[in-house]
Amino acid sequence: APGVAPGAVVRIAGTGLVARTEPRPDADIAAELPDGGTVQISGDAVANDSGLWWPVEVQTDQGPVNGYVPQSWVQP
C-alpha cells in the first residue's frame, strides 16, 4: 500500500483488532490495537499463505510491544 513502509505511522482500520506474535491469524496475541489509533511499522512486510503482514510496534500501558497485523487492517 502506498505510504506503508518501515518507520511509517499508520492508522488501524477496525475495532477489536489485535497484533499477533507471528505473521499468521492463529498466532498468539501480542497486543490489542487501539480502535482507530495508530501504530508504527517496524520492518518489511512478510508474505505468506495468509497474505501480507506488517510488523508493528504498539504503544501499551506497559510500554511498546511488537507484533504483526495483516495488510487489510493498515491505512496510511
Side-chain angles (χ1 to χ4, degrees):
V4 179
V9 174
V10 296
R11 186 164 304 284
I12 296 300
T15 61
L17 304 179
V18 296
R20 300 286 178 177
T21 55
E22 297 178 42
R24 55 188 174 84
D26 61 344
D28 290 338
I29 295 171
E32 293 185 15
L33 299 174
D35 176 14
T38 59
V39 296
Q40 183 170 16
I41 302 294
S42 59
D44 292 324
V46 175
N48 60 30
D49 291 344
S50 60
L52 192 66
W53 291 72
W54 287 97
V56 296
E57 183 175 279
V58 182
Q59 296 300 323
T60 70
D61 292 341
Q62 292 77 38
V65 174
N66 292 301
Y68 290 87
V69 297
Q71 168 74 39
S72 61
W73 295 0
V74 174
Q75 296 177 335

